[in-house]
Amino acid sequence: MSITMDTTLASLVTNKRRVSALKSLGIVTVGDALTYYPFRVTEPVPLRAIREAAPGQQMAFAAVIRDMRVVPMNARRGYRLEATVDDADFARSRRAPGSTARLTFFSYRKSYVDWVSMRLRAGTSVVVSGMPSEYMGQLQFTHPEILTVAPGSAGTGAGLEGYARGAASGNGAFAGSADPYASAQSAYPPAATAPSGAALKYDADTVQEALTRVCRPRPVYHASSRISSEHIHETILGLLWMMGARTSSTPDGQLAGAGAAGIVAPATDTIAVQNGEEKSGTTAESGAEALSQSIPDVLPESVRKAKNLMHRAEAFLAIHDPASTTRFKEAIETLRYEEAFVSQTSLLKARSHAHKSAAHSCPLVTDSLRDQFIASLPFSLTAGQQQVIHDIAADLAHDWPMQRLLQGEVGSGKTVVALAAMLQAVDAGYQAVLVAPTQVLAEQHAETIGRMVEQLKPAIPVTLLTGGMKLAARRKALAAASSGEPGIIVATHAAFSKTFQAPHLALVVIDEQHRFGVEQRESLNAKTDDGTTPHLLVMTATPIPRTAAMTWFGDLDISWLTELPGGRKPIRTVVVNEADAATMGRMFAHIRARVDAGERAYIVCPRIDADDEENEGGSGVSAAAGSARGRAAASGSSARTAAGGRATRAAADAIGIDDPYETFDENGETVARPPLHAVAEIADRLQKLPQFQGIRFATLTGRDKDDVKTQVMADFAGGETPILVSTTVIEVGVDVKQASCIVIFDADRYGLSQLHQLRGRVGRGGTNSWAFLISRAEPGSPAEQRLEVIHHSLDGAEIAQADLEFRGAGDVLGDAQSGGKSSLKLLRVVKDADMIADARTRAGQLLAADSELAGEVQLAGAVLDFTRGNETFLTSS
């Protein structure tokens, strides 16, 4: 059986519990495992004799077991195992006097104690790595890493000396290729004979091999309560061994030859070793060739050589079994460039293919509907709006499809620009569809557009189509669309259904486009009956740094609206510590005063009720966003439940919060945090406060039915329920001009861009407005630092930039873009801007010479995977 990147772990790993634990991290195939990158690599462990030990400083040494005993712990159940080690010969090689130390292990399990006892019998040669401490006047190592060495392999005297000096000075890349122990016989007494019938297995054949293994840098992976970083590492090394790797990578870019640290053959109780894959008889050279055959390079050879990058197989090896921290960083850079090159090649191909498609030409006509509409507006367009409308008009006049991204702050006038484009399409005799992510937003758009076009001549039909409509109204809307009559259709996800047909569709406008996947958008291409591709205008208020947008949306033309219409006042942002009862009280009193003045207030909570961590249907965000972001679990991030436990990323998204900031302990496990506040809980608490006596509250969540949401928003806007407690369902598109205050609980757990979006729900009527961010962040913590950014800035681009720097582009742009096989896991969109620009230039040159990548089969496959895997462009950030 040949092993490839697509081979499933279930067919290779015999430990089914481990298979299940890895699957929970999104690791299902060999490719998933090799691209599950460590989040850090340890520094090389220095060699020191016991006399050179410094408490609290990691060290490694070779020694021999002098005695060992197991002591039952009387005060509590369990056992304590103590072994005394002597490093006389190793210390002599370092010109230091020999000494002894105690190795101590604690366990409740007798089986574990028996296993350690068998390994640490008197006379056994060992290599020890650990943190020394002092106990009862004696140097002690508690639960150190121990590698046992086969008898007759340890050396003494001058043989040790050169090796020890080379190891200590080489940052983990040990000097020399010959075994320095080979010139001397072991001075250690032989280990006791194994009990009859027991096959004693040693961890290393030589002391040199053992020292190399414990001293070299070690990758540390994000783990979980089900599997440790060590077991993840062990599994990945086992897979590399099965694919042909026998020795680690070395700085010269080749697989190491004699004397290098070998990758230990996996135990058959962990990895199902295939026939013909025995360790003996396999040379480093044949191993290198086998590994490169199993892991073919994706980058073209010319690009790899020009950039002086590693082969892909070598990079994987250098990441998961690094000979040095320098080598590890070089490998990361190689695969980071690979991600940049694949992504840019994919975007450039998509752009070129779009220009080969046919589209309806929609040129401007004399006395156009668009010009009538602009003239009827009670305000003047900003310079930015005028420029974007002009650019779109030129695009629509072409007979190939427009593909444009329109980015603008909340309230910057994107809807006016979109309506001008739709009227241009209608004037040319075609249909235009505006797709909104929620029914509430779709209804608002339909009402606003209907009001704006009611004075135009000839009359423009505006059709509303949502999934929550009654059957008769829905059939009427579908019939109007299928008639092909020129007009504007405002729809929700119903536009992607098979029953929706628009035979003369010329323009599709996607509002808040991050809520829709590529496949959904492309399904609209099939709605026409003449084989044409509709023009596409996608809009977002999610602030994206210019570099990130140009990188990720490389297949789209990009327009920015940076000016806000006149009359908008800046929102005052206040960060409030939830434990500060006095400030909380003053805040609630302020909100009551604003309500008494005829204004409205939002109260936002991440969860619907206290049981949401067990109910993935309780999302405060749209189902599309939840499903899209839920797939991000494949990137390997451990997400927490609302109760502070650990769960999948999908479960976290079901809560309705964009909580991208993982807090990890030194083993890479997520740290539990307090439970998130819930809508039901907060609504009940606030109604009992004296500040809100006589005030009616309403609640709104993603779990409510569409007709309930519509009624709740109508009551809120009308003032019957002036305080609305909701989840993040109000994040996008809700427009209540009387709303002047928003309170966001657990603000320290949101992404900055999401906080900025929520803050934009207030101040839309020109009144003074306030955003209160309620936090439980520790003083001086990164969470507190993040909130300071949004406290002091109203600039969406600046906030998005800070978001990228705090949590990396993967989360802002879709947490490795929805976890497909091609997901971006290493590329940093802002920090790697120069690398991305270089990759884009080289990808363009390659496509100019070979547009279909016929000569680069592996790259073509990677591009296809990337296109399929990245089904959403942005999360709800």
Side-chain angles (χ1 to χ4, degrees):
M1 168 183 164
S2 61
I3 302 173
T4 69
M5 298 286 279
D6 294 323
T7 304
T8 61
L9 294 189
S11 65
L12 301 176
V13 180
T14 56
N15 186 329
K16 299 308 175 188
R17 291 181 62 183
R18 183 172 295 189
V19 171
S20 176
L22 290 168
K23 186 177 181 180
S24 71
L25 296 177
I27 305 173
V28 179
T29 66
V30 171
D32 294 335
L34 296 186
T35 57
Y36 191 78
Y37 302 119
F39 68 92
R40 68 182 176 92
V41 64
T42 64
E43 290 297 323
V45 178
L47 290 178
R48 291 177 183 156
I50 292 175
R51 284 289 181 92
E52 298 172 313
Q57 295 183 17
Q58 193 86 4
M59 61 174 284
F61 61 95
V64 64
I65 304 293
R66 291 307 182 198
D67 59 66
M68 183 272 298
R69 64 174 184 155
V70 177
V71 182
M73 294 185 287
N74 297 324
R76 50 195 177 125
R77 66 186 183 90
Y79 305 88
R80 181 178 76 251
L81 185 149
E82 296 178 349
T84 303
V85 293
D86 181 350
D87 74 336
D89 295 285
F90 177 76
R92 189 179 306 119
S93 72
R94 296 184 59 83
R95 294 182 171 83
S99 188
T100 60
R102 182 166 52 214
L103 313 181
T104 305
F105 301 84
F106 300 92
S107 180
Y108 294 126
R109 293 185 298 136
K110 185 65 164 61
S111 59
Y112 172 77
V113 173
D114 290 342
W115 176 74
V116 176
S117 299
M118 183 178 72
R119 300 179 72 229
L120 303 186
R121 293 189 307 275
T124 302
S125 300
V126 294
V127 165
V128 180
S129 175
M131 192 85 71
S133 60
E134 190 174 333
Y135 179 72
M136 302 288 287
Q138 185 174 1
L139 197 68
Q140 174 175 282
F141 293 82
T142 304
H143 284 275
E145 179 181 3
I146 301 288
L147 295 184
T148 58
V149 181
S153 62
T156 62
L160 277 163
E161 182 178 343
Y163 176 71
R165 284 202 305 270
S169 63
N171 194 31
F174 294 95
S177 60
D179 186 351
Y181 292 91
S183 61
Q185 297 298 315
S186 172
Y188 295 143
T193 305
S196 176
L200 191 59
K201 182 179 179 181
Y202 294 95
D203 299 316
D205 294 331
T206 67
V207 172
Q208 177 190 356
E209 176 190 334
L211 283 170
T212 303
R213 282 169 55 187
V214 301
C215 289
R216 59 193 291 119
R218 186 165 312 179
V220 183
Y221 303 83
H222 287 315
S224 72
S225 58
R226 299 180 60 188
I227 187 168
S228 67
S229 174
E230 280 296 320
H231 283 156
I232 295 172
H233 188 210
E234 176 187 278
T235 302
I236 294 174
L237 288 184
L239 295 172
L240 286 169
W241 191 92
M242 292 186 69
M243 298 176 82
R246 293 297 182 267
T247 54
S248 61
S249 63
T250 56
D252 63 1
Q254 304 297 323
L255 287 179
I263 294 182
V264 178
T268 54
D269 58 353
T270 302
I271 298 287
V273 180
Q274 306 300 311
N275 292 334
E277 293 187 350
E278 301 302 325
K279 184 177 181 182
S280 60
T282 305
T283 67
E285 290 73 18
S286 64
E289 184 179 348
L291 188 62
S292 62
Q293 289 174 354
S294 301
I295 308 174
D297 216 346
V298 169
L299 289 174
E301 184 72 9
S302 59
V303 173
R304 187 171 71 84
K305 287 184 176 179
K307 297 293 294 181
N308 194 28
L309 301 174
M310 300 181 187
H311 187 282
R312 192 177 200 222
E314 181 70 10
F316 281 135
L317 198 55
I319 286 175
H320 297 296
D321 188 39
S324 68
T325 53
T326 300
R327 192 66 175 154
F328 175 85
K329 292 173 183 176
E330 290 173 354
I332 290 290
E333 286 301 293
T334 290
L335 294 180
R336 184 171 284 148
Y337 190 89
E338 178 187 290
E339 287 186 353
F341 195 87
V342 170
S343 66
Q344 294 310 300
T345 304
S346 176
L347 293 172
L348 290 174
K349 276 180 63 68
R351 191 183 186 97
S352 64
H353 284 168
H355 282 199
K356 295 176 183 177
S357 303
H360 292 297
S361 174
C362 303
L364 276 175
V365 296
T366 304
D367 191 27
S368 67
L369 290 169
R370 191 202 75 169
D371 292 342
Q372 288 184 48
F373 162 65
I374 293 174
S376 71
L377 292 172
F379 52 84
S380 298
L381 296 178
T382 66
Q385 287 175 310
Q386 294 178 34
Q387 181 61 50
V388 174
I389 288 174
H390 174 77
D391 293 342
I392 291 174
D395 288 345
L396 291 176
H398 294 146
D399 58 2
W400 65 81
M402 170 183 73
Q403 289 190 294
R404 184 172 290 276
L405 169 69
L406 175 58
Q407 177 182 323
E409 289 281 2
V410 173
S412 61
K414 296 186 298 297
T415 303
V416 170
V417 172
L419 182 51
M422 289 190 287
L423 289 173
Q424 185 172 336
V426 173
D427 227 355
Y430 299 109
Q431 296 169 293
V433 173
L434 170 62
V435 186
T438 66
Q439 176 164 327
V440 170
L441 186 53
E443 290 172 346
Q444 287 186 358
H445 275 317
E447 180 183 352
T448 301
I449 291 172
R451 190 169 59 249
M452 285 180 164
V453 303
E454 62 184 357
Q455 302 300 326
L456 301 184
K457 302 297 181 181
I460 307 299
V462 179
T463 304
L464 175 65
L465 176 63
T466 70
M469 299 173 69
K470 292 185 178 180
L471 184 59
R474 182 180 172 84
R475 285 178 174 171
K476 184 177 179 180
L478 288 170
S482 62
S483 70
E485 179 187 2
I488 295 172
I489 303 162
V490 182
T492 58
H493 291 74
F496 304 120
S497 68
K498 293 181 179 179
T499 56
F500 175 74
Q501 295 295 326
H504 293 162
L505 183 61
L507 172 64
V508 175
V509 179
I510 304 288
D511 192 16
E512 294 306 330
Q513 61 89 33
H514 55 280
R515 300 297 181 97
F516 303 102
V518 173
E519 291 178 355
Q520 287 179 306
R521 297 206 309 258
E522 289 185 348
S523 72
L524 290 172
N525 293 345
K527 305 301 183 184
T528 61
D529 60 359
D530 53 10
T532 59
T533 299
H535 299 283
L536 177 66
L537 174 65
V538 293
M539 305 191 300
T540 180
T542 301
I544 318 162
R546 185 172 294 260
T547 306
M550 293 180 70
T551 297
W552 193 245
F553 299 100
D555 58 333
L556 304 178
D557 296 305
I558 305 173
S559 298
W560 277 270
L561 288 178
T562 56
E563 303 169 74
L564 292 181
R568 290 289 297 268
K569 294 183 179 179
I571 302 169
R572 305 174 191 178
T573 304
V574 183
V575 179
V576 181
N577 190 318
E578 190 174 338
D580 186 349
T583 303
M584 293 283 287
R586 290 196 300 272
M587 176 188 71
F588 290 134
H590 171 80
I591 292 173
R592 174 59 187 260
R594 302 322 305 163
V595 168
D596 288 343
E599 296 168 9
R600 315 281 186 269
Y602 297 104
I603 312 289
V604 179
C605 305
R607 291 191 294 153
I608 297 176
D609 53 47
D611 297 326
D612 281 347
E613 64 265 30
E614 297 176 3
N615 184 351
E616 294 191 11
S619 177
V621 292
S622 71
S627 63
R629 294 204 310 274
R631 289 189 300 271
S635 70
S637 299
S638 300
R640 294 162 299 281
T641 65
R646 299 180 179 92
T648 63
R649 176 78 72 183
D653 283 331
I655 295 167
I657 187 172
D658 175 19
D659 185 9
Y661 305 109
E662 301 285 7
T663 303
F664 298 103
D665 60 20
E666 61 182 7
N667 293 320
E669 294 197 27
T670 51
V671 176
R673 292 191 284 183
L676 298 167
H677 289 299
V679 168
E681 163 214 349
I682 292 297
D684 182 61
R685 282 171 52 186
L686 295 187
Q687 290 179 82
K688 295 176 181 178
L689 293 177
Q691 292 96 326
F692 296 122
Q693 290 303 306
I695 298 294
R696 290 186 60 193
F697 281 67
T699 61
L700 181 67
T701 72
R703 192 181 293 166
D704 295 328
K705 294 183 178 179
D706 288 334
D707 57 341
V708 173
K709 292 178 184 176
T710 302
Q711 187 60 50
V712 167
M713 289 307 301
D715 291 345
F716 177 64
E720 293 183 36
T721 53
I723 297 181
L724 178 63
V725 185
S726 76
T727 58
T728 53
V729 71
I730 65 152
E731 177 186 347
V732 172
V734 173
D735 188 3
V736 177
K737 298 189 184 307
Q738 300 91 338
S740 64
C741 294
I742 185 168
V743 179
I744 305 172
F745 280 91
D746 295 304
D748 53 301
R749 306 279 288 274
Y750 288 81
L752 294 185
S753 294
Q754 189 178 27
L755 288 175
H756 183 62
Q757 280 279 79
L758 289 167
R759 180 171 60 180
R761 297 306 102 205
V762 298
R764 303 172 74 85
T767 61
N768 291 323
S769 54
W770 294 263
F772 299 97
L773 310 181
I774 312 302
S775 168
R776 288 183 281 185
E778 294 291 330
S781 65
E784 186 182 63
Q785 296 170 21
R786 291 194 299 268
L787 291 182
E788 282 302 301
V789 172
I790 203 162
H791 177 209
H792 294 293
S793 179
L794 292 171
D795 186 330
E798 179 183 327
I799 290 168
Q801 176 80 25
D803 223 3
L804 282 171
E805 292 171 355
F806 274 121
R807 57 169 163 150
D811 293 300
V812 175
L813 296 180
D815 191 47
Q817 298 309 309
S818 308
K821 291 181 181 179
S822 58
S823 298
L824 297 179
K825 297 184 178 182
L826 298 173
L827 193 65
R828 302 161 302 186
V829 174
V830 173
K831 293 181 180 179
D832 296 327
D834 291 342
M835 175 186 291
I836 292 166
D838 180 89
R840 190 175 183 85
T841 299
R842 295 178 187 274
Q845 294 169 350
L846 177 67
L847 289 172
D850 183 5
S851 61
E852 296 303 318
L853 300 177
E856 299 291 345
V857 177
Q858 295 300 326
L859 177 61
V863 167
L864 182 61
D865 282 345
F866 181 88
T867 304
R868 289 173 175 171
N870 295 278
E871 294 173 355
T872 60
F873 284 113
L874 290 172
T875 62
S876 175
S877 298

